[in-house]
């Protein structure tokens, strides 16, 4: 499944005139294989032994490129540590405010909320974002062990 996703990504990049390089391939494959929503720095650390000449900036620039091609979603939290997600199907995220872990969850898309916003403001909605914050099960356990 990941092999097919990579094949698809390679085709999409070709279509935008972006050449596939071993580094680009490795970054894409890493992102498609992980569920962790890594930062550019985490991707860099996972791949630096294989690509000693690669820098965090290279990773970041490639992520931007993937984002422009619609292959990657950037999750921003207003602090410099954007997270990246190669799962582009419609889904939402819940973030642990204690350890920073991000989990996916499914929910019907909030199109009705967009419609309601349009009705009450006259805007034409183009997108929305929803993020849930809380304490993950592991952090709940750690907290209860301290009592
Ligand atoms: Zn946590
Ligand atoms: Mn996700």
């Amino acid at each position: 499944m990941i092999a097919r996703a990579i094949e698809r990504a390679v085709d999409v990049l070709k279509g935008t005139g972006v050449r596939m390089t071993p580094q680009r391939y490795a970054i894409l494959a890493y992102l498609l294989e992980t569920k962790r929503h890594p930062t550019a720095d985490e991707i860099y650390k996972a791949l630096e032994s294989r690509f000693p000449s690669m820098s965090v900036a290279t990773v970041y620039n490639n992520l931007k490129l993937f984002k422009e091609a619609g292959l990657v979603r950037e999750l921003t939290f207003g602090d410099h540590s954007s997270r990246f997600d190669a799962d582009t199907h419609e889904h939402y995220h819940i973030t642990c405010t204690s350890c920073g872990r991000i989990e996916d969850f499914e929910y019907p898309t909030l199109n009705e909320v967009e419609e309601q916003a349009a009705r009450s403001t006259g805007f034409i909605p183009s997108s929305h974002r929803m993020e849930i914050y809380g304490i993950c099960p592991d952090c709940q356990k750690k907290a209860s062990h301290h009592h």
Side-chain angles (χ1 to χ4, degrees):
M1 210 191 113
I2 282 160
R4 267 179 58 195
I6 292 174
E7 249 173 62
R8 202 198 120 242
V10 170
D11 282 346
V12 169
L13 283 180
K14 257 188 212 155
T16 61
V18 173
R19 194 167 55 93
M20 187 49 80
T21 64
Q23 288 183 11
R24 278 187 188 135
Y25 192 90
I27 295 167
L28 259 179
Y30 181 81
L31 259 180
L32 284 162
E33 279 160 16
T34 186
K35 282 253 155 211
R36 297 178 55 88
H37 307 89
T39 62
D41 201 50
E42 284 165 351
I43 298 168
Y44 167 73
K45 281 182 181 135
L47 300 176
E48 65 172 333
S49 62
R50 281 166 60 196
F51 301 99
S53 66
M54 188 173 69
S55 67
V56 192
T58 313
V59 174
Y60 196 74
N61 291 337
N62 279 309
L63 290 167
K64 287 280 175 199
L65 208 127
F66 299 155
K67 186 185 162 188
E68 278 157 28
L71 294 171
V72 158
R73 232 166 107 175
E74 181 176 8
L75 316 173
T76 52
F77 298 96
D79 60 357
H80 315 283
S81 54
S82 280
R83 310 286 208 103
F84 293 88
D85 192 350
D87 182 353
T88 51
H89 89 276
E90 199 69 55
H91 68 281
Y92 296 101
H93 294 112
I94 185 160
T95 301
C96 180
T97 51
S98 179
C99 69
R101 167 174 158 193
I102 299 175
E103 293 265 315
D104 294 331
F105 71 93
E106 307 280 337
Y107 190 80
T109 58
L110 301 175
N111 295 333
E112 284 153 44
V113 180
E114 287 196 3
E115 280 159 27
Q116 177 54 38
R119 274 194 298 274
S120 62
T121 64
F123 277 45
I124 299 172
S126 55
S127 69
H128 64 262
R129 57 190 281 181
M130 175 180 70
E131 278 143 25
I132 311 282
Y133 297 92
I135 305 293
C136 76
D138 286 349
C139 290
Q140 290 171 41
K141 265 182 229 148
K142 275 179 212 149
S144 66
H145 288 162
H146 290 298
H147 295 301

